[in-house]
Amino acid sequence: MHGRLKVRTSAEEAARKKKEQDLKAKAYRNGMDKIFTLRNAENFDNNLLELSGKILSVNPDITTLWNIRRECIIKMTTDNPDSASTLFDRDLNFTELCLQVQPKSYGAWHHRSWILENSPKPDWNREVSLCTLYLKKDERNFHCWDYRRYVARKANLSAESEFKFCDEKIQKNFSNYSSWFYRSQLLPVLHPHPSDSSRPISEEKLKEELEIVITAAFTDPNDSSAWFYQRWLLGYSDPKLDLACFKLTQSQAVIAFTKLVDLSKDKITISTNTSLDKGIWRSLSGNKSDSIWIQKGEFEISDDILIKMNHNDKTFELEARKIDNNSIIGIKLPSFGYEFGAAVKEELKNQLDSCNQLLEFEPDSKWTLLTAALLMRSIDRFQYHEKTLEYVRKLQKVDSLRAGYYMDLASKWILEEKLKNMVESGKFDKIDLSSLDLSVVYYNQFLFIGNEINLQNNSKLNKKSCKFALVDGCKVTF
Amino acid sequence: MATRKKVLLKVIILGDSSVGKTSLMNQYVNKRFSNQYKATIGADFLTKEVVVDDRVVTMQIWDTAGQERFQSLGVAFYRGADCCVLVFDTTAPNTFKNLDSWRDEFLIQASPRNPEHFPFVVLGNKVDLENRAVSTKRAQQWCQSKNDIPYFETSAKEGINVDIAFQTIAKNALAQESDEGIDSAFSPSLTLGSSSDSNNRPNSSDCSC
Amino acid sequence: MDDLPKEFDLIVIGTGFQESVIAAATSRVGKTVLHIDQNEFYGGFWASFNLENFMTHLNRDTGDKKCKIRNVSQEWFEFTEEKSEINGWNKEKIISEGRRFNIDLIPKLNYCNGKLVELLISSNICRYTEFRAVDKVLTVLNGKIDVVPGSRADIFTKKNVSIIEKRLLMKFITQCVEYKREENNESFKEESFDFPDDGKFIDLMKQQKLTDNLIHYILYAMCMANTETTFKEGLEAIRTYLTSIGRYGNTPYLFPMFGCGEIPQCFCRLCAVFGGVYWLGQKINDIQLINDESGNELVKMNFGNEEISAKKLVCGLDSNFIDLNQNPFEYISRAVIITSSPLGGSTVNSDMDGGGVVLLYYPVEGKSDGITMIQLAHYTSCISKGLYLIHLSTTCQNGAKSDLQPFVETFLRHDHDAETEDDTKPTILFSTYFEIPSSIKGHDYVSQQNGPIYSCSGAFSELDYDESIRQSRLLYSKMYPNDEFLPKAPEPEEIIIGDDDDDREGNVNLGVLADLVPENKEDTDKVLEKEDMNKTQ
């Protein structure tokens, strides 16, 4: 066999690997041991930095070692302030090597920001370049995106340049929550809505963004990141705080808000110029935060009441009228979404056309059905009410895995329509919500206004969602 | 200031057959020596992590795999070298004379950007043997005449000067490496195989957070 | 001491792709190999050269050899006093930089998920070379050069494709990837095509309501097919394309850094690592068949002062010992063109300066294969920064110039007239045309070969190396039916050094942790003791 290449057998190689592993483990334990001995003896010096450096460069995820390293640097710079810049520079280089081993190391990214915050002359622009580099390697490294937002702020980078950067990343790969998110933070700075502060961005920009997002959705409907962004654009976000509904009877007052509030903490003052102002509001559920609050007592039912809410120097009003000798009620129809201008509506209509065109080829395409439904609701939720319901009912069938989600969506839309009709008609006494195939009840804040609420024949209804039923004087039949 | 990158240095070893190229590599990396001479079989490249000026550097030392025997080293062998080690046998004057042509061959084939300042290191090997035929002075003179190439007298067998020679090789190769700026850490060229395969799938369906 | 052994298991003459693969595979399983090339360089018809050597090689007098490069012509742009340079380049400057060029005789790309990449990885030969992902795939749509939206990102950003087209395109290609022939697989059936295997691929696309533009992208640019391509062929092509995309880059192709000439050399390196002996530039005087004492056939070869015998001998298409009757060949028409601006001008090059590697497949009417264009920029280390190396190839029909003219006349120009400034058409600064021998796809090269002298096929007229690898495997299994073909080569640290067995245990590589290993037994014990304590806690 002279001259033939000899290779270890797999057993021999396994033995070699095991020996290597064992020795590494020993080296690791020995190193950690030495580090703790030094630290306990408060021997904060180069030796400690070197030892921890060796282990961290192999495994940058050991948080304890980063802590010890910071402790050590603080000690060394306190004892010898001249050494600071050398030490900081060294650790900047060091974290970079660690990040090459593990670009998603919490410890290494955090250590970097600590160095820079403590460094006398931090070079924030260099950090931005570093992020650019790492995001080039992996455009979805969210550790790096977080760090980028932080250093871009420190470096005073313009929103324009950061937006451009985000845009490049989206073009490369739009399955990127971090980049869409950053985009949603930058756009309101760059293109604020000129008149309506509740709207994040101007109509012109909105139109462009809608185009981008529908392109992403058509390219890869299975990617959820674009959908989330579309929701944001179309305004499916938390409602703004406002008064929602009020009902006063002889024994209690109920006031409801568009979102959860904690009246003991949130600096909300309610004034009615009645005896109510002296009483105590308690939440319906007993929780600290609630959207429905109740005051018990003996109340006189006399005149109409103007309820004023003050929050953050803003005043919100709700007019409550006496409708009979037993109750004074007020209701404010919530904004179910943005009212878009003509240009945006035009764009939404074009997109709806495209969806409908596609539905001719693929009548069962779930995401096309859903997009179309959402678009219709954004154009005119009530005009298209029946059609949108038809689409989600179909979705319950073709996408049975998410049937529950679609049912909830339909329940929400049905409630919106009912509420609107109720407010328009001005009739609140009896609310008929029977046989609507509801799975959940939204808009609890408005429903206690009725005296009798009929929820019969909704076999899939989650009764726990009907919190308003706890309000005294609300007769609910299931 | 350029961003620090994890450094991989490619070092190639050149010189006549049987001057001890493979033995030097093995002594340096594996601390082993085999006395039995045979044309290099199985020698490909060896890697060793070294620390140079506070930086961890991976040195990849490439053997000729015997292709130098009949002057048949292809140009592919020379690609991307960061340092070239020229080896001769201190007991065989011809191997010393041939250093000139090995150096020329390297400069032609590798065509480095800056041939005047490309880092070479010369090793006079087998100093453990009695029948020395190339004097230290002669070797040093040659090295001086070629832009002061560092020169070491080594014995792969006894392990003499091997470590310090390779430490110098790593240091000079690293010094040569220019501050190419922030982008060079992730060079656009791809090496196939497991390591680069996994982290390069932009369309994979894994978590996109 | 340096005497060449007199006997080998195998002699290989020629260092083209297939010869090198056979040499590597044979050496890899422990057989002795002598690998010779009559040229001074590696690669034969598969070589890459710098500019000077390229021209010398093309114009070399190869005597009455039958299988050789033919019909070579070359031309420089006529630089005048008024027009002394174009974008800063003239003849002298190009020649002076030419030392750094790597010009392929036969340029090829590899599918990221193709047979060459698979073989390089499975054999561990991948460590000997580096690649660059092809940056862009172009096509000619309605007479204009256009970027093919191949990847998801491209489709997303593509401007002149409507959102409905985007959806149709994405849906179609997703369906192609997921398509399974098993009819009984219910879950796939719903989303599957209902179409006969031998139906026309183009008809399937029409059935799926794809628009003309989309059909063009898929048929010509992604599949490099034509209107006659069947569903089965088309599906296979599009699947290769799609499974290759995104693995290393935004297109499905790779190009070797420093040119395709590196590829055969990688296989040679493996052969050498396993003991193969290399000797280039050797004129072979004579090859004879003899019988040894026990009556076995041997091959005896004379070259220089050497007389070597071997159990088997393999020769390449470029050696004069090949039987051309058994190994018929044809030609590939080639052009090598140097320009100082990239193809397609600013409209397709907005992102970077002309891209690194660009592929364009140009169908030619009345010809079964079109013209393949590969444009290389400096990122490949094949050309200087600011210059572009354009390779054109097609099977030879009426001679290189005539075969390639449809492309050259449409997308390049010979003049440089400022008046007709059209930045989409680069000016040809240098061009050379030639025809290079290639093997015939579909011909049976292997089954009639019974040794002990075997011959290799040359390059095939294909974009990648798939057919060449298939032929190499066939030939190897004919020669050594019982031996494995290029099993994974060991990592350097798995190799036992020296003849002593004391290295069985091997060396351990602890990296930076090396000096943290407890030095003496006491330390180790202390650590272990502590560990025990931890465990009991």
Side-chain angles (χ1 to χ4, degrees), chain C residues 222-423:
Chain C
M222 298 185 192
C223 298
M224 297 192 176
N226 54 47
T227 50
E228 297 304 307
T229 305
T230 63
F231 171 40
K232 200 178 164 189
E233 293 163 344
L235 189 70
E236 199 177 306
I238 189 91
R239 284 167 74 126
T240 309
Y241 182 97
L242 294 169
T243 53
S244 290
I245 212 163
R247 185 171 177 188
Y248 297 107
N250 207 29
T251 70
Y253 312 103
L254 296 175
F255 184 80
M257 297 291 287
F258 304 102
C260 295
E262 303 286 296
I263 301 293
Q265 288 186 57
C266 295
F267 286 89
C268 293
R269 165 115 190 152
L270 185 89
C271 177
V273 167
F274 282 84
V277 177
Y278 277 82
W279 206 335
L280 299 183
Q282 288 304 300
K283 287 284 159 289
I284 291 150
N285 307 320
D286 185 32
I287 293 172
Q288 287 170 14
L289 284 181
I290 53 162
N291 288 309
D292 69 1
E293 302 90 57
S294 20
N296 296 321
E297 258 192 336
L298 285 180
V299 187
K300 200 177 79 182
M301 181 179 77
N302 287 295
F303 71 97
N305 300 321
E306 309 282 340
E307 183 177 290
I308 310 286
S309 66
K311 297 196 184 88
K312 293 181 200 300
L313 182 141
V314 166
C315 44
L317 185 62
D318 65 335
S319 74
N320 20 2
F321 301 100
I322 198 160
D323 177 359
L324 292 173
N325 292 321
Q326 279 209 1
N327 292 277
F329 67 96
E330 55 187 10
Y331 288 91
I332 295 174
S333 288
R334 290 272 295 112
V336 171
I337 292 164
I338 295 173
T339 66
S340 54
S341 62
L343 202 76
S346 53
T347 41
V348 292
N349 294 296
S350 53
D351 47 348
M352 60 192 293
D353 43 321
V357 186
V358 176
L359 169 69
L360 190 155
Y361 177 75
Y362 186 60
V364 177
E365 212 161 308
K367 200 164 179 292
S368 64
D369 72 325
I371 296 168
T372 303
M373 192 260 359
I374 298 170
Q375 175 189 280
L376 305 172
H378 73 279
Y379 298 97
T380 54
S381 300
C382 288
I383 189 87
S384 296
K385 190 169 185 176
L387 289 179
Y388 298 86
L389 186 58
I390 294 175
H391 284 289
L392 300 177
S393 328
T394 189
T395 53
C396 184
Q397 208 171 44
N398 303 314
K401 251 193 161 150
S402 150
D403 290 340
L404 299 169
Q405 190 223 3
F407 185 91
V408 176
E409 298 309 322
T410 317
F411 301 106
L412 298 164
R413 57 190 168 137
H414 302 278
D415 62 338
H416 191 79
D417 208 344
E419 309 255 302
T420 59
E421 198 58 68
D422 176 3
D423 86 326

Side-chain angles (χ1 to χ4, degrees), chain A residues 110-139:
Chain A
H110 174 65
H111 192 69
R112 234 183 139 73
S113 59
W114 180 83
I115 297 165
L116 289 158
E117 290 288 355
N118 287 281
S119 171
K121 278 188 204 154
D123 182 351
W124 297 107
N125 285 311
R126 181 177 181 275
E127 297 306 296
V128 176
S129 312
L130 183 88
C131 292
T132 305
L133 179 66
Y134 274 87
L135 292 173
K136 189 172 170 189
K137 196 174 153 66
D138 175 4
E139 70 273 2

Side-chain angles (χ1 to χ4, degrees), chain A residues 149-167:
Chain A
R149 285 196 298 275
Y150 158 74
V151 293
R153 211 164 47 235
K154 290 281 188 183
N156 282 324
L157 288 196
S158 70
E160 280 91 353
S161 70
E162 283 300 274
F163 184 78
K164 194 164 163 269
F165 177 78
C166 272
D167 206 40

Side-chain angles (χ1 to χ4, degrees), chain B residues 19-198:
Chain B
V19 294
K21 298 184 293 293
T22 313
S23 298
L24 281 163
M25 282 172 59
N26 274 326
Q27 178 56 253
Y28 176 58
V29 177
N30 294 318
K31 305 275 173 268
R32 259 166 233 278
F33 180 78
S34 167
N35 218 348
Q36 207 171 358
Y37 170 77
K38 56 180 169 30
T40 307
I41 287 189
D44 196 350
F45 61 89
L46 293 173
T47 45
K48 188 171 167 110
E49 275 188 8
V50 287
V51 180
V52 183
D53 303 334
D54 260 5
R55 298 175 71 179
V56 182
V57 171
T58 305
M59 193 158 43
Q60 214 174 50
I61 310 162
W62 286 73
D63 200 334
T64 52
Q67 281 174 303
E68 84 288 8
R69 215 168 145 200
F70 302 107
Q71 291 76 48
S72 300
L73 273 168
V75 61
F77 177 71
Y78 298 91
R79 304 289 191 204
D82 297 297
C83 180
C84 175
V85 182
L86 301 171
V87 186
F88 71 96
D89 178 348
T90 49
T91 69
N94 265 334
T95 64
F96 175 70
K97 284 194 199 111
N98 283 337
L99 286 188
D100 257 321
S101 55
W102 281 118
R103 183 175 169 276
D104 291 347
E105 179 74 2
F106 176 84
L107 291 175
I108 291 167
Q109 300 279 20
S111 52
R113 290 247 161 250
N114 197 350
E116 289 301 302
H117 297 98
F118 187 86
F120 287 94
V121 172
V122 171
L123 307 184
N125 194 31
K126 304 194 186 178
V127 290
D128 54 291
L129 296 181
E130 306 276 300
N131 50 336
R132 171 116 192 191
V134 182
S135 71
T136 307
K137 197 176 165 201
R138 218 174 125 208
Q140 279 173 341
Q141 272 172 355
W142 185 85
C143 287
Q144 272 164 18
S145 74
K146 306 291 175 195
N147 245 334
D148 271 328
I149 301 179
Y151 172 63
F152 295 91
E153 301 204 326
T154 59
S155 162
K157 186 179 180 185
E158 309 288 342
I160 299 168
N161 271 345
V162 176
D163 275 2
I164 183 154
F166 276 95
Q167 191 69 29
T168 309
I169 290 161
K171 205 179 164 119
N172 290 3
L174 197 61
Q176 154 79 8
E177 187 210 33
S178 56
D179 279 335
E180 286 167 82
I182 200 153
D183 227 22
S184 56
F186 303 114
S187 108
S189 66
L190 302 158
T191 312
L192 309 185
S194 52
S195 57
S196 60
D197 252 6
S198 54

Side-chain angles (χ1 to χ4, degrees), chain C residues 179-186 189 192-195:
Chain C
Y179 181 79
K180 293 236 170 94
R181 273 212 183 69
E182 288 91 26
E183 297 299 327
N184 52 359
N185 192 333
E186 284 298 322
K189 213 167 173 185
S192 249
F193 304 120
D194 182 16
F195 205 75

Side-chain angles (χ1 to χ4, degrees), chain A residues 135-369:
Chain A
L135 292 173
K136 189 172 170 189
K137 196 174 153 66
D138 175 4
E139 70 273 2
R140 305 201 297 195
N141 181 344
F142 68 90
H143 298 260
C144 191
W145 277 105
D146 285 349
Y147 190 71
R148 186 185 181 95
R149 285 196 298 275
Y150 158 74
V151 293
R153 211 164 47 235
K154 290 281 188 183
N156 282 324
L157 288 196
S158 70
E160 280 91 353
S161 70
E162 283 300 274
F163 184 78
K164 194 164 163 269
F165 177 78
C166 272
D167 206 40
E168 278 164 18
K169 293 294 150 193
I170 289 284
Q171 287 192 12
K172 195 175 165 224
N173 180 5
F174 59 82
S175 303
N176 193 330
Y177 282 101
S178 305
S179 186
W180 287 119
F181 173 70
Y182 200 6
R183 197 181 180 91
S184 74
Q185 294 209 312
L186 293 165
L187 278 173
V189 180
L190 290 168
H191 305 274
H193 196 281
S195 52
D196 181 356
S197 63
S198 74
R199 294 272 301 274
I201 55 175
S202 71
E203 291 257 322
E204 297 80 53
K205 195 64 196 171
L206 177 64
K207 190 168 165 274
E208 280 173 37
E209 293 298 298
L210 285 168
E211 273 173 60
I212 292 170
V213 87
I214 195 84
T215 308
F218 267 64
T219 306
D220 187 355
N222 296 319
D223 182 73
S224 50
S225 60
W227 292 116
F228 277 92
Y229 188 63
Q230 192 196 42
R231 296 291 174 93
W232 179 77
L233 289 174
L234 294 178
Y236 285 82
S237 51
D238 271 356
K240 290 267 176 284
L241 175 67
D242 199 348
L243 289 163
C245 189
F246 175 81
K247 183 176 182 183
L248 182 71
T249 57
Q250 280 153 347
S251 59
Q252 71 177 0
V254 188
I255 189 161
F257 304 88
T258 50
K259 54 198 282 186
L260 298 181
V261 294
D262 179 352
L263 289 184
S264 65
K265 262 205 191 136
D266 286 348
K267 298 196 176 154
I268 294 171
T269 51
I270 306 287
S271 53
T272 59
N273 287 328
T274 67
S275 62
L276 277 172
D277 294 355
K278 291 172 199 137
I280 295 166
W281 294 101
R282 293 182 203 285
S283 70
L284 173 66
S285 58
N287 296 336
K288 283 194 169 152
S289 287
D290 204 335
S291 56
I292 303 175
W293 293 75
I294 293 172
Q295 194 179 128
K296 296 279 181 188
E298 278 180 25
F299 303 105
E300 197 180 321
I301 307 297
S302 51
D303 296 326
D304 294 354
I305 302 175
L306 181 67
I307 301 134
K308 286 185 179 174
M309 171 176 79
N310 201 293
H311 179 244
N312 283 349
D313 294 332
K314 265 194 233 160
T315 307
F316 305 84
E317 292 181 349
L318 173 65
E319 284 176 41
R321 299 189 184 283
K322 179 179 172 185
I323 46 170
D324 53 36
N325 287 333
N326 296 320
S327 47
I328 299 175
I329 59 175
I331 188 163
K332 205 178 195 179
L333 192 64
S335 112
F336 297 116
Y338 301 140
E339 254 322 296
F340 295 112
V344 170
K345 278 199 175 160
E346 203 50 44
E347 172 62 25
L348 294 172
K349 279 182 185 157
N350 287 340
Q351 295 190 359
L352 180 60
D353 282 348
S354 296
C355 285
N356 287 333
Q357 226 173 310
L358 257 188
L359 284 172
E360 281 171 32
F361 300 129
E362 316 172 32
D364 289 345
S365 164
K366 55 189 182 196
W367 64 271
T368 317
L369 285 166

